[in-house]
Amino acid sequence: MNLSQKYKPTNLQELILPEENKQKIMDCIKKRKPLLLAGPPGVGKTSAVYAITKEFDYDIIDINSSDSRNKIFLEDMLKRVKIKGWKPQLFFFDEMDNMRATGYMYLNKILTETKHPIIL
């Protein structure tokens, strides 16, 4: 096991952030407001998302940059974010800066019509 796996945060309190930022994250998740994480590679953005999902006991729907982001895929995501499941879900759109321009129309709809927290 490498050090990044051994010491990765498992809840919101273990994130190395100012308490006010942790509170902002909690507010966004509870209010189902979109949350944008930005920063250089390796600072722990993805680890933070997984710590948040554990903290709130959410199932994570991880949409990575390697996933298809064509019109059909985005239309399916739009349908999925409108449906409440048995267990709360959090949608994580990783590497959103790689999205094509046509995808932003769907992203706007996803962000405004979701019934789930979304982290970008």
Side-chain angles (χ1 to χ4, degrees):
M1 176 184 300
N2 64 34
L3 291 177
S4 65
Q5 291 298 312
K6 183 176 180 180
Y7 294 108
K8 74 179 181 178
T10 58
N11 60 50
L12 198 56
Q13 295 311 311
E14 291 179 2
L15 294 177
I16 301 172
L17 291 171
E19 287 302 316
E20 64 190 40
N21 289 359
K22 292 178 187 179
Q23 188 60 48
K24 287 177 185 178
I25 290 170
M26 287 177 52
D27 291 345
C28 283
I29 300 301
K30 288 179 181 178
K31 294 176 183 177
R32 294 184 178 94
K33 295 171 99 179
L35 177 62
L36 176 64
L37 299 180
V43 298
K45 298 178 297 291
T46 301
S47 293
V49 171
Y50 279 89
I52 291 165
T53 58
K54 284 183 182 179
E55 176 89 13
F56 288 93
D57 195 29
Y58 282 113
D59 280 340
I60 187 166
I61 310 300
D62 189 345
I63 299 99
N64 199 297
S65 62
S66 61
D67 295 326
S68 174
R69 293 209 175 143
N70 60 35
K71 180 180 176 183
I72 295 168
F73 177 80
L74 291 165
E75 286 173 348
D76 181 56
M77 283 297 103
L78 182 58
K79 291 175 188 171
R80 290 182 71 184
V81 299
K82 293 179 183 181
I83 300 169
K84 280 198 165 191
W86 294 104
K87 185 174 179 184
Q89 296 177 328
L90 181 141
F91 285 77
F92 174 41
F93 289 85
D94 198 6
E95 306 289 339
M96 289 307 296
D97 53 335
N98 293 332
M99 180 176 269
R100 294 186 191 117
T102 54
Y104 288 109
M105 176 186 74
Y106 286 98
L107 180 60
N108 187 46
K109 287 182 179 182
I110 288 168
L111 295 176
T112 57
E113 298 180 24
T114 186
K115 299 197 182 306
H116 306 277
I118 293 179
I119 298 178
L120 308 159

